[in-house]
PDB file of all heavy atoms in Angstrom:
ATOM      1  N   PRO A 135      -9.220  -7.140   4.295  1.00  0.00           N
ATOM      2  CA  PRO A 135      -9.923  -7.562   3.069  1.00  0.00           C
ATOM      3  C   PRO A 135     -10.107  -9.073   2.990  1.00  0.00           C
ATOM      4  O   PRO A 135     -11.171  -9.553   2.598  1.00  0.00           O
ATOM      5  CB  PRO A 135      -9.009  -7.063   1.953  1.00  0.00           C
ATOM      6  CG  PRO A 135      -8.229  -5.962   2.552  1.00  0.00           C
ATOM      7  CD  PRO A 135      -8.024  -6.332   3.988  1.00  0.00           C
ATOM      8  N   LEU A 136      -9.070  -9.809   3.394  1.00  0.00           N
ATOM      9  CA  LEU A 136      -9.174 -11.272   3.367  1.00  0.00           C
ATOM     10  C   LEU A 136     -10.291 -11.727   4.304  1.00  0.00           C
ATOM     11  O   LEU A 136     -11.123 -12.569   3.950  1.00  0.00           O
ATOM     12  CB  LEU A 136      -7.834 -11.874   3.786  1.00  0.00           C
ATOM     13  CG  LEU A 136      -7.788 -13.398   3.896  1.00  0.00           C
ATOM     14  CD1 LEU A 136      -7.977 -14.030   2.534  1.00  0.00           C
ATOM     15  CD2 LEU A 136      -6.472 -13.855   4.516  1.00  0.00           C
ATOM     16  N   ALA A 137     -10.319 -11.129   5.503  1.00  0.00           N
ATOM     17  CA  ALA A 137     -11.348 -11.499   6.478  1.00  0.00           C
ATOM     18  C   ALA A 137     -12.738 -11.171   5.935  1.00  0.00           C
ATOM     19  O   ALA A 137     -13.674 -11.957   6.079  1.00  0.00           O
ATOM     20  CB  ALA A 137     -11.104 -10.768   7.791  1.00  0.00           C
ATOM     21  N   VAL A 138     -12.859 -10.001   5.294  1.00  0.00           N
ATOM     22  CA  VAL A 138     -14.161  -9.611   4.742  1.00  0.00           C
ATOM     23  C   VAL A 138     -14.607 -10.641   3.717  1.00  0.00           C
ATOM     24  O   VAL A 138     -15.765 -11.065   3.696  1.00  0.00           O
ATOM     25  CB  VAL A 138     -14.094  -8.203   4.107  1.00  0.00           C
ATOM     26  CG1 VAL A 138     -15.374  -7.918   3.333  1.00  0.00           C
ATOM     27  CG2 VAL A 138     -13.884  -7.149   5.171  1.00  0.00           C
ATOM     28  N   ARG A 139     -13.681 -11.079   2.870  1.00  0.00           N
ATOM     29  CA  ARG A 139     -14.061 -12.043   1.824  1.00  0.00           C
ATOM     30  C   ARG A 139     -14.481 -13.368   2.423  1.00  0.00           C
ATOM     31  O   ARG A 139     -15.452 -13.986   1.981  1.00  0.00           O
ATOM     32  CB  ARG A 139     -12.900 -12.240   0.844  1.00  0.00           C
ATOM     33  CG  ARG A 139     -12.610 -10.992   0.036  1.00  0.00           C
ATOM     34  CD  ARG A 139     -11.495 -11.235  -0.939  1.00  0.00           C
ATOM     35  NE  ARG A 139     -11.959 -12.018  -2.067  1.00  0.00           N
ATOM     36  CZ  ARG A 139     -12.041 -11.560  -3.303  1.00  0.00           C
ATOM     37  NH1 ARG A 139     -11.679 -10.327  -3.576  1.00  0.00           N
ATOM     38  NH2 ARG A 139     -12.471 -12.312  -4.269  1.00  0.00           N
ATOM     39  N   ILE A 140     -13.768 -13.821   3.442  1.00  0.00           N
ATOM     40  CA  ILE A 140     -14.132 -15.102   4.069  1.00  0.00           C
ATOM     41  C   ILE A 140     -15.504 -14.986   4.727  1.00  0.00           C
ATOM     42  O   ILE A 140     -16.371 -15.851   4.562  1.00  0.00           O
ATOM     43  CB  ILE A 140     -13.069 -15.527   5.097  1.00  0.00           C
ATOM     44  CG1 ILE A 140     -11.728 -15.802   4.416  1.00  0.00           C
ATOM     45  CG2 ILE A 140     -13.524 -16.780   5.842  1.00  0.00           C
ATOM     46  CD1 ILE A 140     -10.590 -16.110   5.365  1.00  0.00           C
ATOM     47  N   LEU A 141     -15.726 -13.892   5.464  1.00  0.00           N
ATOM     48  CA  LEU A 141     -17.008 -13.734   6.163  1.00  0.00           C
ATOM     49  C   LEU A 141     -18.143 -13.517   5.168  1.00  0.00           C
ATOM     50  O   LEU A 141     -19.254 -14.014   5.366  1.00  0.00           O
ATOM     51  CB  LEU A 141     -16.946 -12.565   7.146  1.00  0.00           C
ATOM     52  CG  LEU A 141     -15.956 -12.684   8.312  1.00  0.00           C
ATOM     53  CD1 LEU A 141     -16.240 -11.628   9.363  1.00  0.00           C
ATOM     54  CD2 LEU A 141     -15.987 -14.052   8.941  1.00  0.00           C
ATOM     55  N   LEU A 142     -17.847 -12.766   4.105  1.00  0.00           N
ATOM     56  CA  LEU A 142     -18.884 -12.530   3.095  1.00  0.00           C
ATOM     57  C   LEU A 142     -19.339 -13.862   2.496  1.00  0.00           C
ATOM     58  O   LEU A 142     -20.538 -14.081   2.263  1.00  0.00           O
ATOM     59  CB  LEU A 142     -18.333 -11.608   2.002  1.00  0.00           C
ATOM     60  CG  LEU A 142     -19.284 -11.212   0.869  1.00  0.00           C
ATOM     61  CD1 LEU A 142     -20.562 -10.608   1.413  1.00  0.00           C
ATOM     62  CD2 LEU A 142     -18.605 -10.232  -0.081  1.00  0.00           C
ATOM     63  N   GLN A 143     -18.369 -14.747   2.285  1.00  0.00           N
ATOM     64  CA  GLN A 143     -18.728 -16.076   1.782  1.00  0.00           C
ATOM     65  C   GLN A 143     -19.652 -16.774   2.769  1.00  0.00           C
ATOM     66  O   GLN A 143     -20.622 -17.418   2.381  1.00  0.00           O
ATOM     67  CB  GLN A 143     -17.455 -16.901   1.558  1.00  0.00           C
ATOM     68  CG  GLN A 143     -17.675 -18.202   0.837  1.00  0.00           C
ATOM     69  CD  GLN A 143     -18.233 -17.984  -0.558  1.00  0.00           C
ATOM     70  OE1 GLN A 143     -17.618 -17.335  -1.380  1.00  0.00           O
ATOM     71  NE2 GLN A 143     -19.426 -18.488  -0.820  1.00  0.00           N
ATOM     72  N   GLY A 144     -19.344 -16.614   4.057  1.00  0.00           N
ATOM     73  CA  GLY A 144     -20.199 -17.205   5.086  1.00  0.00           C
ATOM     74  C   GLY A 144     -21.616 -16.659   5.003  1.00  0.00           C
ATOM     75  O   GLY A 144     -22.595 -17.409   5.093  1.00  0.00           O
ATOM     76  N   TRP A 145     -21.732 -15.350   4.808  1.00  0.00           N
ATOM     77  CA  TRP A 145     -23.058 -14.749   4.706  1.00  0.00           C
ATOM     78  C   TRP A 145     -23.807 -15.273   3.487  1.00  0.00           C
ATOM     79  O   TRP A 145     -24.986 -15.558   3.538  1.00  0.00           O
ATOM     80  CB  TRP A 145     -22.937 -13.225   4.633  1.00  0.00           C
ATOM     81  CG  TRP A 145     -23.433 -12.570   5.874  1.00  0.00           C
ATOM     82  CD1 TRP A 145     -24.740 -12.449   6.251  1.00  0.00           C
ATOM     83  CD2 TRP A 145     -22.660 -11.971   6.906  1.00  0.00           C
ATOM     84  NE1 TRP A 145     -24.822 -11.801   7.457  1.00  0.00           N
ATOM     85  CE2 TRP A 145     -23.556 -11.503   7.889  1.00  0.00           C
ATOM     86  CE3 TRP A 145     -21.295 -11.783   7.112  1.00  0.00           C
ATOM     87  CZ2 TRP A 145     -23.142 -10.849   9.043  1.00  0.00           C
ATOM     88  CZ3 TRP A 145     -20.883 -11.135   8.254  1.00  0.00           C
ATOM     89  CH2 TRP A 145     -21.791 -10.680   9.209  1.00  0.00           C
ATOM     90  N   LEU A 146     -23.069 -15.370   2.366  1.00  0.00           N
ATOM     91  CA  LEU A 146     -23.732 -15.789   1.132  1.00  0.00           C
ATOM     92  C   LEU A 146     -24.080 -17.275   1.160  1.00  0.00           C
ATOM     93  O   LEU A 146     -24.906 -17.732   0.384  1.00  0.00           O
ATOM     94  CB  LEU A 146     -22.830 -15.483  -0.075  1.00  0.00           C
ATOM     95  CG  LEU A 146     -22.597 -13.986  -0.301  1.00  0.00           C
ATOM     96  CD1 LEU A 146     -21.746 -13.751  -1.523  1.00  0.00           C
ATOM     97  CD2 LEU A 146     -23.910 -13.243  -0.426  1.00  0.00           C
ATOM     98  N   ASP A 147     -23.449 -18.023   2.061  1.00  0.00           N
ATOM     99  CA  ASP A 147     -23.781 -19.442   2.166  1.00  0.00           C
ATOM    100  C   ASP A 147     -25.081 -19.678   2.924  1.00  0.00           C
ATOM    101  O   ASP A 147     -25.600 -20.787   2.930  1.00  0.00           O
ATOM    102  CB  ASP A 147     -22.644 -20.210   2.854  1.00  0.00           C
ATOM    103  CG  ASP A 147     -21.454 -20.383   1.924  1.00  0.00           C
ATOM    104  OD1 ASP A 147     -21.649 -20.176   0.706  1.00  0.00           O
ATOM    105  OD2 ASP A 147     -20.347 -20.702   2.386  1.00  0.00           O
ATOM    106  N   ILE A 148     -25.578 -18.637   3.581  1.00  0.00           N
ATOM    107  CA  ILE A 148     -26.882 -18.785   4.244  1.00  0.00           C
ATOM    108  C   ILE A 148     -27.949 -18.719   3.152  1.00  0.00           C
ATOM    109  O   ILE A 148     -28.022 -17.729   2.418  1.00  0.00           O
ATOM    110  CB  ILE A 148     -27.123 -17.645   5.259  1.00  0.00           C
ATOM    111  CG1 ILE A 148     -26.010 -17.621   6.314  1.00  0.00           C
ATOM    112  CG2 ILE A 148     -28.480 -17.818   5.924  1.00  0.00           C
ATOM    113  CD1 ILE A 148     -26.139 -16.479   7.301  1.00  0.00           C
ATOM    114  N   PRO A 149     -28.774 -19.740   3.015  1.00  0.00           N
ATOM    115  CA  PRO A 149     -29.764 -19.745   1.936  1.00  0.00           C
ATOM    116  C   PRO A 149     -30.715 -18.547   2.035  1.00  0.00           C
ATOM    117  O   PRO A 149     -31.125 -18.156   3.138  1.00  0.00           O
ATOM    118  CB  PRO A 149     -30.527 -21.053   2.148  1.00  0.00           C
ATOM    119  CG  PRO A 149     -29.628 -21.895   2.966  1.00  0.00           C
ATOM    120  CD  PRO A 149     -28.821 -20.978   3.810  1.00  0.00           C
ATOM    121  N   ALA A 150     -31.036 -17.984   0.870  1.00  0.00           N
ATOM    122  CA  ALA A 150     -31.881 -16.791   0.832  1.00  0.00           C
ATOM    123  C   ALA A 150     -33.238 -17.049   1.485  1.00  0.00           C
ATOM    124  O   ALA A 150     -33.824 -16.151   2.090  1.00  0.00           O
ATOM    125  CB  ALA A 150     -32.066 -16.343  -0.613  1.00  0.00           C
ATOM    126  N   GLU A 151     -33.712 -18.297   1.386  1.00  0.00           N
ATOM    127  CA  GLU A 151     -35.036 -18.605   1.941  1.00  0.00           C
ATOM    128  C   GLU A 151     -35.080 -18.366   3.444  1.00  0.00           C
ATOM    129  O   GLU A 151     -36.107 -17.986   3.987  1.00  0.00           O
ATOM    130  CB  GLU A 151     -35.409 -20.065   1.664  1.00  0.00           C
ATOM    131  CG  GLU A 151     -35.611 -20.413   0.210  1.00  0.00           C
ATOM    132  CD  GLU A 151     -34.302 -20.604  -0.525  1.00  0.00           C
ATOM    133  OE1 GLU A 151     -33.233 -20.639   0.133  1.00  0.00           O
ATOM    134  OE2 GLU A 151     -34.328 -20.694  -1.764  1.00  0.00           O
ATOM    135  N   ARG A 152     -33.925 -18.605   4.107  1.00  0.00           N
ATOM    136  CA  ARG A 152     -33.941 -18.445   5.566  1.00  0.00           C
ATOM    137  C   ARG A 152     -34.150 -16.988   5.940  1.00  0.00           C
ATOM    138  O   ARG A 152     -34.802 -16.695   6.935  1.00  0.00           O
ATOM    139  CB  ARG A 152     -32.612 -18.928   6.145  1.00  0.00           C
ATOM    140  CG  ARG A 152     -32.378 -20.367   5.841  1.00  0.00           C
ATOM    141  CD  ARG A 152     -31.857 -21.138   7.021  1.00  0.00           C
ATOM    142  NE  ARG A 152     -31.681 -22.514   6.584  1.00  0.00           N
ATOM    143  CZ  ARG A 152     -30.535 -23.162   6.626  1.00  0.00           C
ATOM    144  NH1 ARG A 152     -29.474 -22.587   7.145  1.00  0.00           N
ATOM    145  NH2 ARG A 152     -30.448 -24.388   6.191  1.00  0.00           N
ATOM    146  N   PHE A 153     -33.576 -16.073   5.137  1.00  0.00           N
ATOM    147  CA  PHE A 153     -33.790 -14.659   5.431  1.00  0.00           C
ATOM    148  C   PHE A 153     -35.258 -14.303   5.228  1.00  0.00           C
ATOM    149  O   PHE A 153     -35.837 -13.530   5.985  1.00  0.00           O
ATOM    150  CB  PHE A 153     -32.902 -13.787   4.535  1.00  0.00           C
ATOM    151  CG  PHE A 153     -31.467 -13.791   4.956  1.00  0.00           C
ATOM    152  CD1 PHE A 153     -30.528 -14.493   4.227  1.00  0.00           C
ATOM    153  CD2 PHE A 153     -31.058 -13.110   6.088  1.00  0.00           C
ATOM    154  CE1 PHE A 153     -29.201 -14.510   4.618  1.00  0.00           C
ATOM    155  CE2 PHE A 153     -29.736 -13.120   6.491  1.00  0.00           C
ATOM    156  CZ  PHE A 153     -28.800 -13.826   5.755  1.00  0.00           C
ATOM    157  N   ARG A 154     -35.850 -14.883   4.172  1.00  0.00           N
ATOM    158  CA  ARG A 154     -37.268 -14.614   3.921  1.00  0.00           C
ATOM    159  C   ARG A 154     -38.117 -15.143   5.071  1.00  0.00           C
ATOM    160  O   ARG A 154     -39.024 -14.469   5.558  1.00  0.00           O
ATOM    161  CB  ARG A 154     -37.700 -15.273   2.625  1.00  0.00           C
ATOM    162  CG  ARG A 154     -37.260 -14.472   1.426  1.00  0.00           C
ATOM    163  CD  ARG A 154     -37.803 -15.055   0.159  1.00  0.00           C
ATOM    164  NE  ARG A 154     -36.800 -14.916  -0.886  1.00  0.00           N
ATOM    165  CZ  ARG A 154     -36.676 -15.713  -1.908  1.00  0.00           C
ATOM    166  NH1 ARG A 154     -37.490 -16.734  -2.054  1.00  0.00           N
ATOM    167  NH2 ARG A 154     -35.744 -15.514  -2.799  1.00  0.00           N
ATOM    168  N   LEU A 155     -37.800 -16.348   5.489  1.00  0.00           N
ATOM    169  CA  LEU A 155     -38.554 -16.958   6.585  1.00  0.00           C
ATOM    170  C   LEU A 155     -38.428 -16.105   7.849  1.00  0.00           C
ATOM    171  O   LEU A 155     -39.425 -15.805   8.522  1.00  0.00           O
ATOM    172  CB  LEU A 155     -38.016 -18.365   6.835  1.00  0.00           C
ATOM    173  CG  LEU A 155     -38.802 -19.214   7.827  1.00  0.00           C
ATOM    174  CD1 LEU A 155     -40.209 -19.430   7.310  1.00  0.00           C
ATOM    175  CD2 LEU A 155     -38.102 -20.552   8.036  1.00  0.00           C
ATOM    176  N   ALA A 156     -37.173 -15.692   8.141  1.00  0.00           N
ATOM    177  CA  ALA A 156     -36.951 -14.887   9.339  1.00  0.00           C
ATOM    178  C   ALA A 156     -37.707 -13.571   9.248  1.00  0.00           C
ATOM    179  O   ALA A 156     -38.290 -13.101  10.234  1.00  0.00           O
ATOM    180  CB  ALA A 156     -35.458 -14.634   9.522  1.00  0.00           C
TER     181      ALA A 156
END
Side-chain angles (χ1 to χ4, degrees):
Chain A
L136 176 66
V138 170
R139 293 182 76 113
I140 296 175
L141 296 194
L142 182 54
Q143 189 62 60
W145 250 287
L146 295 182
D147 286 345
I148 302 177
E151 294 79 9
R152 299 224 180 122
F153 285 106
R154 281 186 217 152
L155 187 62

